[in-house]
Amino acid sequence: MAIHKKEEFTQKEQDLAAFAKALAHPARIAILKLLAQKNECICGQIVDELPLSQSTVSQHLKELKIAGLIDGSIDGPRSCYCINWKAFEKFMGEFSFLFNKMKLQNEKACC
Amino acid sequence: MAIHKKEEFTQKEQDLAAFAKALAHPARIAILKLLAQKNECICGQIVDELPLSQSTVSQHLKELKIAGLIDGSIDGPRSCYCINWKAFEKFMGEFSFLFNKMKLQNEKACC
DNA sequence: ATCTTATATCGCAAATATACGATAAACGAT
DNA sequence: ATCGTTTATCGTATATTTGCGATATAAGAT
């Protein structure tokens, strides 16, 4: 990119975009699904379930964590990850609101 | 990327990721909001509302169209864009389902 | 203290995304 | 037929993302 333009948009637009970006890779979707399938936080075994190297999975986990979508505590050779439901509900709610509002206002298609 | 790994994931994971990717830029969020504010499809004037050059906006519109989130008909010097509600509801529904399901199964946090 | 195991981080290469100016294309108006 | 307007596409530069191997780190086991 020649010039950064993202900061020209509203904070809410940037936040929603950042949330979507965190979900914008199948590996990260798969990780979130994994975190849900077990009825508890996953301590280890995430790498084994994905067709990616350990370092790559670790990087995806890091991104999810930075985005606030998962929580994780690391104690030495063991890590423990789980979904941050609060953040999730917040963003999903904002999206739903945005699109429900849109839906209400605009129902007739023309193109 | 040395090697493409996206195709190793399920189609649904890839589809959800692609949907999220389309939303993963504030300009595209802003465009969708614009398309909602007017009570009809927007024919022109999208470029004027964004802090980006015409060619860049056109590119974002193209991506939203390829992702199936908007429809657009172009007749010569005029274009007409509107949101594809069907696609929207489909993806938002899938996300909601995924996360509601997750929420149901897993409520206790451990990390 | 050393070994093992699990995870994070670093450094790099390749792929993708973002942005813009220049140009092309499509059509209405003159 | 030419001009003006609007939008798309091309070419290019830069930024970011993805992925991996190598290495570091952290803690339990021996």
Side-chain angles (χ1 to χ4, degrees):
Chain A
M1 241 171 319
I3 306 161
H4 292 242
K5 287 282 188 167
K6 289 186 181 177
E7 55 275 3
E8 304 252 1
F9 296 93
T10 70
Q11 192 59 51
K12 198 160 228 168
E13 285 164 352
Q14 292 182 57
D15 290 348
L16 283 175
F19 171 73
K21 197 174 187 177
L23 297 173
H25 194 287
R28 295 195 287 271
I29 297 279
I31 288 171
L32 291 170
K33 274 171 65 180
L34 262 178
L35 288 177
Q37 279 168 1
K38 304 256 176 185
N39 203 15
E40 51 184 2
C41 300
I42 296 189
C43 303
Q45 295 109 28
I46 295 181
V47 172
D48 306 331
E49 309 282 349
L50 297 177
L52 295 168
S53 76
Q54 181 266 324
S55 59
T56 302
V57 172
S58 185
Q59 211 175 306
H60 283 302
L61 286 165
K62 189 182 178 187
E63 280 171 55
L64 285 170
K65 201 173 175 186
I66 287 172
L69 291 190
I70 63 176
D71 289 319
S73 59
I74 305 110
D75 52 338
R78 211 148 299 270
S79 70
C80 179
Y81 284 109
C82 59
I83 290 170
N84 180 339
W85 295 108
K86 288 230 189 311
F88 240 104
E89 278 164 19
K90 179 192 162 208
F91 284 114
M92 288 303 283
E94 278 183 33
F95 265 119
S96 294
F97 174 73
L98 177 62
F99 297 134
N100 284 341
K101 190 176 148 216
M102 278 155 51
K103 185 82 196 301
L104 260 166
Q105 291 181 330
N106 182 340
E107 190 57 282
K108 55 187 170 190
C110 85
C111 48
Chain B
M1 240 168 319
I3 305 161
H4 293 240
K5 287 282 188 167
K6 289 187 181 175
E7 55 274 4
E8 305 252 0
F9 296 92
T10 69
Q11 192 59 50
K12 197 160 229 167
E13 285 163 351
Q14 292 183 56
D15 290 349
L16 282 175
F19 170 74
K21 197 174 187 179
L23 297 174
H25 194 286
R28 294 194 288 270
I29 298 279
I31 288 170
L32 291 171
K33 273 170 66 180
L34 262 178
L35 288 177
Q37 278 167 2
K38 304 256 174 183
N39 203 15
E40 50 184 3
C41 300
I42 296 190
C43 303
Q45 295 109 27
I46 295 180
V47 173
D48 306 332
E49 308 282 348
L50 297 176
L52 295 168
S53 75
Q54 180 266 323
S55 58
T56 303
V57 172
S58 185
Q59 212 174 303
H60 282 303
L61 285 165
K62 188 182 177 185
E63 279 170 56
L64 285 170
K65 201 172 174 187
I66 287 173
L69 291 191
I70 64 176
D71 290 319
S73 59
I74 306 111
D75 53 338
R78 211 147 297 270
S79 71
C80 178
Y81 285 109
C82 59
I83 291 170
N84 180 338
W85 294 108
K86 288 229 190 312
F88 241 102
E89 278 163 19
K90 181 191 160 208
F91 283 115
M92 288 303 284
E94 278 182 33
F95 266 119
S96 295
F97 174 74
L98 176 61
F99 298 134
N100 284 341
K101 189 176 147 216
M102 279 155 50
K103 185 80 197 299
L104 260 167
Q105 291 180 330
N106 182 341
E107 190 57 281
K108 56 188 168 191
C110 85
C111 49

